[in-house]
Amino acid sequence: MAELLRLHDPAAATEMADAEAASCDHPWSSGMYADSLTGQDQVYAYRDANGQVLGYAVLLIILDEAQLQNIFICQPCQRQGHGRRLLQQLMHSAASQGAVRMLLEVRESNHAARALYAGCGFVESGLRKHYYRNDHGPREHAVLMEAML
Ligand SMILES: CC(C)(COP(=O)(O)OP(=O)(O)OC[C@H]1O[C@@H](n2cnc3c(N)ncnc32)[C@H](O)[C@@H]1OP(=O)(O)O)[C@@H](O)C(=O)NCCC(=O)NCCS
């Protein structure tokens, strides 16, 4: 069974950014990951039983509220159920740390992620208009979603 490994070393930032750039249209920069690794965020690698990294996630817990800052599965490992299991483990971990609710925001066009979240019990709770910048084309709305833990 795959497991969460908490990361603290900012040296992991480049590997995370490279893995996300190969897996996702709008990746975080290594600087963003470095900030997360040295700040209040909880940064996790999701590894299989052989230690192979399947994906990564960034969570922020403030009092009884958890914010899912980022989640991705490495491109070759996508569509095998890892994303759902990673999110379920994160929800469980957040609940065990005292969070009662998890919040997130997702690009309106990211149908894969929105389906993943809906399948894990998240409901849409709002829209942040023109929130995300796009390299080409107009800005994109953020869909706000939340789930009780
Ligand atoms: C979103 C993401 C994490 C899903 O991870 P995954 O391991 O591929 O997803 P799973 O195999 O666990 O699938 C779980 C559910 O997600 C949805 N889903 C996943 N990929 C999908 C796709 N390409 N198209 C439509 N739905 C999809 C489905 O509802 C799926 O359930 P199903 O298999 O019963 O149909 C992955 O696609 C990813 O890393 N994307 C790039 C990064 C990203 O967009 N992160 C979210 C930022 S808000």
Side-chain angles (χ1 to χ4, degrees):
M1 173 166 163
E3 61 178 12
L4 294 176
L5 175 71
R6 177 95 185 256
L7 304 177
H8 297 279
D9 186 350
T14 304
E15 193 176 322
M16 294 179 71
D18 288 350
E20 193 182 13
S23 311
C24 171
D25 290 338
H26 304 281
W28 282 20
S29 66
S30 59
M32 292 166 77
Y33 280 118
D35 287 347
S36 278
L37 285 156
T38 53
Q40 285 195 314
D41 287 344
Q42 300 180 15
V43 181
Y44 294 100
Y46 189 56
R47 302 192 311 172
D48 70 13
N50 299 316
Q52 186 203 341
V53 174
L54 303 169
Y56 292 95
V58 181
L59 191 66
L60 176 64
I61 299 180
I62 298 177
L63 301 176
D64 63 355
E65 209 164 80
Q67 175 85 29
L68 184 64
Q69 309 276 54
N70 200 5
I71 181 171
F72 73 91
I73 295 296
C74 300
Q75 204 281 329
C77 305
Q78 288 181 7
R79 297 248 62 178
Q80 297 167 45
H82 296 307
R84 178 184 291 117
R85 288 189 289 274
L86 169 54
L87 181 53
Q88 287 169 342
Q89 285 199 39
L90 290 167
M91 293 171 80
H92 187 262
S93 171
S96 71
Q97 295 177 65
V100 298
R101 203 158 69 115
M102 186 176 284
L103 312 173
L104 61 83
E105 56 207 31
V106 55
R107 285 176 183 267
E108 196 173 33
S109 64
N110 193 344
H111 299 292
R114 288 174 67 181
L116 166 69
Y117 300 141
C120 287
F122 283 78
V123 295
E124 297 186 6
S125 56
L127 194 68
R128 204 164 275 153
K129 288 195 172 175
H130 313 296
Y131 181 70
Y132 292 110
R133 197 176 308 123
N134 275 323
D135 290 341
H136 308 287
R139 294 175 76 98
E140 188 172 354
H141 303 331
V143 177
L144 309 183
M145 301 185 79
E146 64 179 62
M148 299 309 291
L149 298 175

